[in-house]
Amino acid sequence: MIFAGNRLALTQPAHINELRLLGPPEWGTCMTDAIHYELQGDIAILKAQNPPVNALGHAVRQGLVDGLERAEADNARAILIHGDGSTWFAGADIREFGKPMQEPLLPDVCNRIEASPLLVVGALHGTALGGGLEVALCCHYRIAVPGARVGLPEVMLGILPGAGGTQRLPRLIGVEPAIDIITTARQVGAQEALELGILDRVREGEPRDVGLAFVRALLDDDAPRRPVSEMPAPKPIDFDAMYQTVLKRGRGQIAPAQAVRAVQLACELPFDEGLRREREMFMDLMETDQRQGMIHAFFAERAVSKLPELKAVEPRVVNAIGVIGGGTMGAGIATSALLAGLNVTLVEMSQEAADAARTRIEGNLAGALKRNKITQDRYDTLTQETLALATDYDALKDADLVIEAVFEDMDVKKDVFTKLDAVCKPGAVLATNTSYLDVNEIAAATARPGDVIGLHFFSPAHVMKLLEVVVADRTAPDTVATGFALGKKMGKIAVRAGVCDGFIGNRILATYRTAADHMVLDGASPFQIDKALEDFGFAMGPYAVADLAGLDIGWAMRKRQAPHRDPRERVPSYPDRLCEAGHFGQKTGKGYYIYETGKRGGTPNPEVTGLIEAERAERGITPRDFTDEEIVRRYMAAMVNEAAKVVGEGIARRPLDVDMVLLSGYGFPRYHGGPLKWADLQGLPGLLDDIKSYAREDDHFWQPAPLLERLVEEGRNFDDLNKEAAS
Ligand code: 3HC
Ligand code: NAI
């Protein structure tokens, strides 16, 4: 009998190779194809095969339970669980969320694994996240390959670990490290996980092989089963203080703070009771708008780069890039490209400007070095070999792609593109980082408009995730594909945008900023507006952001727009008074707020209040009170209305594209899912009613977006448009 023979073999020192001599293994799948079953001597091997990430969907859960039962029936002594393809289980199947749950549920599967009378070992590779780590925590021992990462990122989906993670992890590694991992959602590398005690071993090799060797060693040592649930309750900490800290850090997000309370249960309740309560909290969070917002953001982030017209289009090869202009943006773009492994040649106007650009780039890279993102060797190579500075456009003749980041002036841009057209090799992509200018007009300065595109990075370009890929009328599909490929290489979230003043993000920003300015004229203070929006979840309110960006930028823009401004527009002039007095915000120490050196943030500048009052008096405005709720409502209505216009006009392809732009470039709180997801959750009819009621005061500014009106009329929402686009 296979069983008896294998048992006999176990009495001798055994290795996997010896086991292989024992005869042909038994192969098979476990009821579902998602888990493959194999009996290797007395070790049952359960291999997850649910590409792309071995998510723990229904078939996988069922397969695991079947596999356990079969292993026990086969009288195996141990079970090895590992994943096929690129990863161990990357978590619960998020696509099942919000739908009726199908048994067996993940917590039951986890408990079943842990309760198995056989020795269960997990061999991890890739990412063991969420439910994936929870399955691993139920194995009696865990080994991983060095590249593996583990984590409990559920809070990034608006939930908390719901299959024992908040009860088992603190038992295994202690309360504080568990809270850190759960509330920050960070992925922990194998070595750190080993040091924390999440893993028992880290070994180089194939997960299946290192796993089998580990199981064999454990069996040889007669190692006992080691259920984490039977470990003593962890030592408590000051949970109230921790809850407050995490709540504050979440800026309105509830899941991380709830997770602290769930970990608290691990200290205070018997395991089973803690597990039951964890599940209740998990289910409660599942019902929230925040969960819907976060999951929308998760899928939107992955959908933005999926454009039907690019399906069969190959991007051009890009190894060497050119950057023109080494100011704030050019230096940031060059840094980002260097960090992505590209050769960079940066052209400036003079040697002095080139030297200044080098200093900026070296400063950025020094930051990466300080944060251990790169080694000293890499820093030296990047600054001394991979980066070249030049003052002559001829240096760009071999570049595969050039990004222009010179002054925001159409004549200067056209001049640059004429020169690029003359020197660049055929097929080179010519990109502009313009914030507002017409990419069609820039493209027309060349004889190769098909190669011209907008690549709109955000400041600081080596940090900010967003990249708007601005497609002009004659941009060739493979130029667009190259823009997206470059974005991916640089680790950006690339979103397609059409040509208009400000593209997606800056156009919408201009509108909601105007709504805020109107509220200030009518009675709100910039400080109240900032506070209301920070309470809504924005990292900073619009006036604090203006101080950070520099008030001179808006001042220059207002002056440029003044000659051709519609007289119905209400543009405040008090910020001009601030600028005239030399107050440009943070960089001069004073703007809407006063900034003291060494202190974070600013305090409201009382002069601003005086200037606003004077302007109201001049305009004959009797100020009225605004509640925080009304501030948010108007600000968001302006944002959603303009966003709907942007989608309706095809500047953004889908509502989710707008959501990603605001989420990744404008500090929109992720747990609201983006402005259009937020709008869906609020209900479009109510929002449209608001806009119509505001239009009774100012029908120039508040013109309902035709798309919004149509959706309300048809009883549909923005997500319906996302779904339509995906089908
Ligand atoms: N469920 C369903 N689909 C998933 C998924 C999941 N948990 N994780 C990833 N996918 C899908 C993605 O949507 C994508 O699909 P697409 O090709 O159709 O766009 C595909 O798998 C590949 O994903 P990525 O493009 O993100 O691949 P990467 O290699 O860049 O990243 C990853 C892999 C690190 C695993 C990343 O996908 C990730 O972070 N996934 C989410 C992990 C997570 O949050 N797990 C916790 C889930 S909640 C949970 O477990 C609850 C439990 O406590 C009860
Ligand atoms: P900046 O003024 O800091 O830098 C511009 C640089 O271009 C200067 O160093 C200048 O010497 C150089 N330059 C000017 N003409 C040149 C030429 N003909 N050849 C070579 N170099 C030349 O400007 P910043 O902020 O970096 O902006 C650059 C572009 O990026 C603008 O189009 C701007 O609208 C856009 N942008 C700016 C953002 C920001 O937050 N600053 C964000 C996104 C886009």
Side-chain angles (χ1 to χ4, degrees):
M1 269 166 64
I2 292 169
F3 169 65
N6 291 342
R7 282 280 185 187
L8 270 179
L10 280 178
T11 57
Q12 295 149 25
H15 298 286
I16 303 151
N17 288 342
E18 286 171 296
L19 267 172
R20 286 203 178 116
L21 297 176
L22 292 172
E26 297 193 1
W27 305 91
T29 47
C30 294
M31 205 160 96
T32 72
D33 287 343
I35 296 288
H36 181 271
Y37 180 87
E38 175 192 347
L39 192 62
Q40 269 277 4
D42 57 356
I43 303 173
I45 303 170
L46 306 190
K47 177 175 71 173
Q49 40 188 31
N50 185 29
V53 297
N54 284 323
L56 287 149
H58 176 249
V60 177
R61 299 195 303 272
Q62 186 63 60
L64 281 170
V65 172
D66 293 346
L68 287 163
E69 279 171 7
R70 189 161 162 192
E72 286 157 17
D74 282 348
N75 285 325
R77 280 183 71 200
I79 299 173
L80 173 69
I81 304 178
H82 76 103
D84 196 17
S86 62
T87 187
W88 167 266
F89 310 96
D93 190 333
I94 303 168
R95 289 164 308 183
E96 291 181 354
F97 290 2
K99 299 179 187 158
M101 302 247 185
Q102 266 186 295
E103 289 186 348
L105 303 181
L106 191 56
D108 300 329
V109 175
C110 286
N111 292 343
R112 176 69 182 82
I113 293 171
E114 194 182 54
S116 175
L118 310 186
L119 190 77
V120 187
V121 175
L124 282 54
H125 78 296
T127 42
L129 301 177
L133 179 56
E134 289 171 306
V135 167
L137 291 174
C138 291
C139 296
H140 304 130
Y141 294 88
R142 288 159 291 281
I143 185 167
V145 298
R149 284 170 292 145
V150 306
L152 290 172
E154 282 87 344
V155 297
M156 284 305 290
L157 302 171
I159 51 176
L160 49 72
T166 65
Q167 304 304 296
R168 286 192 178 90
L169 191 61
R171 277 183 164 79
L172 191 63
I173 66 171
V175 164
E176 287 196 65
I179 286 181
D180 167 52
I181 289 172
I182 295 169
T183 61
T184 63
R186 74 184 176 93
Q187 293 183 13
V188 178
Q191 189 53 40
E192 188 189 346
L194 180 69
E195 284 155 20
L196 283 169
I198 299 173
L199 296 173
D200 301 297
R201 253 181 220 189
V202 175
R203 287 284 183 279
E204 194 82 59
E206 286 300 312
R208 181 183 188 278
D209 297 342
V210 296
L212 274 175
F214 188 34
V215 176
R216 172 61 45 222
L218 290 165
L219 289 178
D220 287 349
D221 289 351
D222 262 338
R225 287 169 62 260
R226 203 188 45 174
V228 175
S229 65
E230 291 173 14
M231 292 179 179
K235 279 225 303 273
I237 57 163
D238 182 347
F239 281 104
D240 289 345
M242 181 61 86
Y243 176 84
Q244 289 306 332
T245 306
V246 173
L247 190 64
K248 195 158 167 241
R249 204 172 58 207
R251 285 204 291 262
Q253 203 202 340
I254 48 179
Q258 286 296 92
V260 172
R261 291 300 187 209
V263 171
Q264 185 173 357
L265 300 174
C267 301
E268 296 172 355
L269 297 177
F271 181 80
D272 288 347
E273 182 60 11
L275 204 61
R276 195 183 60 72
R277 293 281 302 280
E278 174 202 73
R279 190 69 185 172
E280 279 171 9
M281 294 171 84
F282 170 85
M283 294 308 289
D284 285 349
L285 287 170
M286 204 53 117
E287 297 304 313
T288 59
D289 283 357
Q290 292 199 359
R291 191 274 295 168
Q292 290 199 49
M294 294 293 263
I295 287 186
H296 171 76
F298 177 87
F299 285 115
E301 198 166 320
R302 284 152 182 82
V304 275
S305 57
K306 292 188 180 123
L307 298 177
E309 73 269 26
L310 297 185
K311 250 187 190 154
V313 182
E314 276 297 308
R316 299 180 193 176
V317 174
V318 174
N319 292 316
I321 76 158
V323 176
I324 309 183
T328 312
M329 291 308 290
I333 294 167
T335 308
S336 181
L338 288 167
L339 290 171
L342 295 159
N343 288 318
V344 177
T345 302
L346 189 144
V347 173
E348 255 293 354
M349 290 201 291
S350 63
Q351 191 53 49
E352 202 187 348
D355 292 344
R358 174 176 279 284
T359 307
R360 272 185 212 107
I361 297 167
E362 287 180 350
N364 292 342
L365 290 172
L369 177 65
K370 203 170 143 199
R371 288 190 303 280
N372 292 323
K373 300 256 183 223
I374 51 171
T375 60
Q376 183 67 50
D377 275 359
R378 179 105 196 277
Y379 174 89
D380 294 343
T381 313
L382 292 181
T383 51
Q384 288 158 31
E385 291 169 30
T386 327
L387 170 68
L389 275 300
T391 52
D392 188 339
Y393 279 61
D394 274 349
L396 299 174
K397 64 181 174 9
D398 295 326
D400 302 308
L401 182 147
V402 179
I403 304 168
E404 161 282 306
V406 303
F407 304 133
E408 185 78 339
D409 179 298
M410 184 53 95
D411 291 337
V412 180
K413 304 262 189 208
K414 279 184 177 171
D415 181 49
V416 167
F417 273 77
T418 310
K419 286 184 184 145
L420 286 178
D421 198 13
V423 299
C424 289
K425 67 183 183 188
V429 170
L430 309 182
T432 172
N433 183 48
T434 180
S435 310
Y436 291 93
L437 299 174
D438 183 347
V439 184
N440 285 313
E441 202 178 330
I442 295 172
T446 72
R448 39 171 128 176
D451 296 339
V452 178
I453 194 163
L455 290 180
H456 184 215
F457 290 82
F458 288 72
S459 182
H462 56 296
V463 175
M464 292 294 286
K465 281 281 195 191
L466 179 61
L467 171 66
E468 285 182 328
V469 176
V470 185
V471 181
D473 292 348
R474 295 170 68 188
T475 308
D478 64 339
T479 304
V480 183
T482 310
F484 274 93
L486 179 75
K488 190 168 182 200
K489 195 160 195 173
M490 287 178 155
K492 305 292 179 199
I493 295 173
V495 182
R496 184 197 186 282
V499 177
C500 71
D501 194 6
F503 316 124
I504 298 177
N506 282 348
R507 172 170 161 182
I508 297 171
L509 164 75
T511 306
Y512 63 76
R513 258 311 302 256
T514 303
D517 286 344
H518 288 177
M519 288 189 272
V520 170
L521 284 177
D522 292 335
S525 81
F527 319 116
Q528 186 195 1
I529 290 180
D530 278 357
K531 167 84 175 43
L533 291 162
E534 283 159 19
D535 288 349
F536 176 78
F538 279 95
M540 289 167 99
Y543 296 98
V545 170
D547 269 0
L548 179 67
L551 301 185
D552 45 329
I553 297 178
W555 190 30
M557 176 92 86
R558 285 191 295 280
K559 282 196 271 195
R560 259 203 315 273
Q561 290 173 341
H564 31 86
R565 185 174 292 140
D566 189 313
R568 290 172 297 177
E569 280 180 39
R570 299 171 73 212
V571 182
S573 60
Y574 73 89
D576 300 350
R577 306 289 93 77
L578 278 176
C579 293
E580 283 154 12
H583 304 319
F584 295 155
Q586 286 202 15
K587 59 187 164 191
T588 59
K590 206 189 249 188
Y592 289 99
Y593 296 85
I594 296 171
Y595 301 90
E596 282 174 48
T597 23
K599 276 201 183 159
R600 262 186 107 213
T603 50
N605 177 1
E607 286 168 45
V608 171
T609 311
L611 291 171
I612 294 169
E613 279 167 2
E615 181 163 0
R616 285 183 194 140
E618 208 175 288
R619 288 172 178 259
I621 295 170
T622 310
R624 69 174 180 87
D625 287 340
F626 282 80
T627 61
D628 289 358
E629 196 196 341
E630 182 179 359
I631 288 171
V632 170
R633 197 84 193 154
R634 281 181 179 255
Y635 194 77
M636 287 306 301
M639 193 184 298
V640 170
N641 199 39
E642 192 63 25
K645 288 179 189 172
V646 160
V647 176
E649 292 166 23
I651 298 298
R653 276 287 170 76
R654 302 152 295 189
L656 66 84
D657 292 307
V658 173
D659 286 339
M660 253 3 266
V661 166
L662 271 292
L663 288 174
S664 53
Y666 294 81
F668 192 92
R670 194 175 170 97
Y671 60 81
H672 289 310
L676 296 181
K677 182 65 188 178
W678 176 87
D680 278 356
L681 290 167
Q682 297 297 303
L684 301 190
L687 264 166
L688 182 60
D689 284 348
D690 280 356
I691 292 167
K692 285 181 175 164
S693 77
Y694 305 149
R696 285 194 277 278
E697 299 157 16
D698 179 352
D699 62 359
H700 173 67
F701 179 71
W702 293 103
Q703 297 179 26
L707 176 65
L708 183 59
E709 291 187 304
R710 186 166 58 100
L711 287 174
V712 170
E713 219 174 271
E714 293 169 356
R716 297 196 306 153
N717 66 16
F718 291 112
D719 233 10
D720 292 326
L721 299 182
N722 288 327
K723 284 181 197 133
E724 253 172 48
S727 59

